[in-house]
């Protein structure tokens, strides 16, 4: 679930969108300055994007934004609905639907949570924000669990969070191993939020947020090779980046890949096996899969 700014919204704009195109649609619809909420994907990977608004946008504006997003994503133009809602604080209401979660050793919570973290857990304060990654999506949950399991048998010294979003996975690695973590994203807002979250969670000394073009960034080349790489993105870019990932991975290093539907895992595994990586573990959560590989 992701959420952007919003307060006493009185209207809800909603439409279906493919999970792979969701980040693009969210970016384009940010201009409406509403609170965005997404539910879990269905069996074909479709999700409903709901945008809570103080004032209703015109039908022409909605169609313009939908057309732009659909053409860029190369997906059919979705139907939409715009409904008036009771005058309540939808941010507060959405927070009620954001209870803390436990994922491996991690206790992920928002500032509205008053519950104390379980004894021995690692608390991570992550607000629903403009950056992807609150720990609630199955792909992020899978990464946190995979990191917890790796920490039981491995020690890492130089880590990379590729496509860091909110920085939740970079913070998890910093907490587990107290090692340098390069947190890279091509979205400036995500990089800013990742830095803020690192400071809020007192791991900023270990994390370097960086806005760059994936593995093509000169900083990634200078900081590598990495003995642990986590990439929670989408299946298509994961496949496209497999060769560059291998170049950035230290011999014997580990890789955690997520953001892919279970039906997409075969192509992602095959692409990385072609680079000499071997599959160590698969974690399945609903329609989503997290992969652990080793170089």
């Amino acid at each position: 679930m992701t959420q952007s700014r919003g307060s006493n919204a009185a209207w809800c704009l909603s439409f279906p969108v493919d999970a792979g195109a969701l980040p693009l649609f969210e970016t384009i619809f940010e201009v409406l300055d509403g609170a965005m909420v997404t539910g879990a994907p269905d069996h074909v990977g479709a999700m409903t994007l709901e945008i809570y608004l103080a004032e209703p946008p015109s039908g022409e504006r909605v169609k313009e934004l939908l057309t732009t997003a659909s053409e860029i994503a190369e997906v059919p133009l979705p139907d939409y609905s715009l409904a008036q809602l009771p005058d309540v604080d939808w941010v507060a209401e959405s927070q009620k639907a954001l209870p803390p979660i436990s994922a491996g050793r991690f206790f992920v919570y928002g500032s509205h949570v008053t519950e104390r973290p379980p004894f021995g857990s690692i608390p991570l304060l992550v607000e629903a924000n403009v950056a992807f990654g609150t720990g609630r999506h199955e792909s992020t949950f899978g990464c946190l669990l995979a990191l917890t399991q790796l920490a039981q048998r491995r020690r890492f010294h130089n880590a990379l969070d590729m496509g860091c979003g909110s920085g939740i996975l970079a913070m998890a690695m910093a907490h587990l191993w107290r090692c340098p973590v390069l947190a890279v994203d091509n979205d400036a807002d995500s990089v800013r939020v990742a830095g803020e979250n690192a400071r809020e969670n007192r791991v900023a000394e270990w994390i370097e947020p960086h806005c760059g073009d994936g593995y093509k960034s000169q900083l990634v080349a200078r900081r590598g090779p990495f003995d642990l790489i986590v990439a929670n993105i989408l299946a298509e870019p994961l496949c496209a980046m497999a060769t560059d990932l291998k170049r950035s991975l230290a011999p014997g290093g580990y890789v955690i890949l997520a953001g892919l539907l279970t039906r997409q895992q075969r192509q992602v595994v095959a692409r990385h096996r072609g680079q000499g990586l071997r599959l160590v573990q698969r974690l399945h959560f609903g329609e989503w899969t997290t992969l652990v590989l080793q170089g």
Side-chain angles (χ1 to χ4, degrees):
M1 179 176 180
T2 58
Q3 178 183 315
S4 62
R5 298 177 302 276
S7 56
N8 291 343
W11 297 83
C12 178
L13 170 66
S14 64
F15 51 86
V17 58
D18 184 86
L22 178 63
L24 172 64
F25 275 79
E26 288 182 324
T27 298
I28 288 177
F29 275 84
E30 280 180 1
V31 297
L32 297 183
D33 199 28
M36 298 186 191
V37 175
T38 57
D42 62 19
H43 66 285
V44 296
M47 311 172 78
T48 298
L49 176 60
E50 297 178 339
I51 307 173
Y52 295 95
L53 303 156
E55 299 293 338
S58 67
E60 291 76 10
R61 181 57 167 157
V62 174
K63 290 178 181 177
E64 175 191 355
L65 295 174
L66 284 175
T67 299
T68 299
S70 299
E71 290 179 349
I72 295 175
E74 298 182 342
V75 297
L77 185 70
D79 293 327
Y80 74 91
S81 65
L82 181 63
Q84 189 169 12
L85 301 170
D87 187 15
V88 299
D89 188 339
W90 288 103
V91 170
E93 291 299 309
S94 66
Q95 287 179 340
K96 292 178 183 178
L98 290 173
I101 64 167
S102 293
R105 286 188 60 192
F106 300 98
F107 179 80
V108 186
Y109 68 103
S111 59
H112 62 286
V113 173
T114 58
E115 177 183 338
R116 292 179 63 86
F119 179 78
S121 67
I122 299 175
L124 292 176
L125 173 60
V126 182
E127 303 286 9
N129 210 305
V130 296
F132 176 81
T134 63
R136 299 173 191 286
H137 193 278
E138 290 88 342
S139 60
T140 310
F141 184 93
C143 289
L144 292 172
L145 187 57
L147 288 169
T148 297
Q149 294 176 356
L150 276 178
Q152 295 172 359
R153 61 183 187 273
R154 295 283 303 190
R155 173 84 189 165
F156 296 101
H157 304 281
N158 187 29
L160 171 64
D161 182 0
M162 179 57 69
C164 65
S166 69
I168 183 173
L169 300 178
M171 294 189 295
M173 289 185 280
H175 273 290
L176 286 172
W177 293 290
R178 297 296 177 182
C179 70
V181 182
L182 181 60
V184 179
D185 205 292
N186 60 6
D187 177 71
D189 281 334
S190 292
V191 173
R192 173 183 56 80
V193 171
E196 293 172 353
N197 284 337
R199 290 188 291 273
E200 185 70 31
N201 286 271
R202 300 181 180 179
V203 288
E205 64 180 298
W206 303 105
I207 296 175
E208 182 176 359
H210 173 66
C211 188
D213 185 17
Y215 295 97
K216 295 180 175 62
S217 167
Q218 293 184 1
L219 183 59
V220 173
R222 290 199 304 270
R223 287 281 303 273
F226 303 91
D227 55 2
L228 176 60
I229 298 176
V230 179
N232 181 14
I233 313 177
L234 293 168
E236 185 175 340
L238 285 176
C239 289
M241 300 166 82
T243 301
D244 292 330
L245 179 151
K246 180 60 168 61
R247 293 196 188 106
S248 299
L249 185 66
Y254 278 76
V255 176
I256 298 175
L257 304 178
L260 56 139
L261 293 164
T262 299
R263 59 183 169 83
Q264 299 170 318
Q265 64 175 314
R266 183 175 298 177
Q267 68 186 86
V268 176
V269 170
R271 187 71 180 86
H272 289 81
R273 277 179 172 161
Q275 297 300 317
L277 279 68
R278 68 179 182 89
L279 181 64
V280 175
Q281 186 180 20
R282 307 175 201 247
L283 300 170
H284 301 292
F285 303 96
E287 296 293 322
W288 299 84
T289 292
T290 298
L291 303 172
V292 182
L293 304 99
Q294 186 178 15

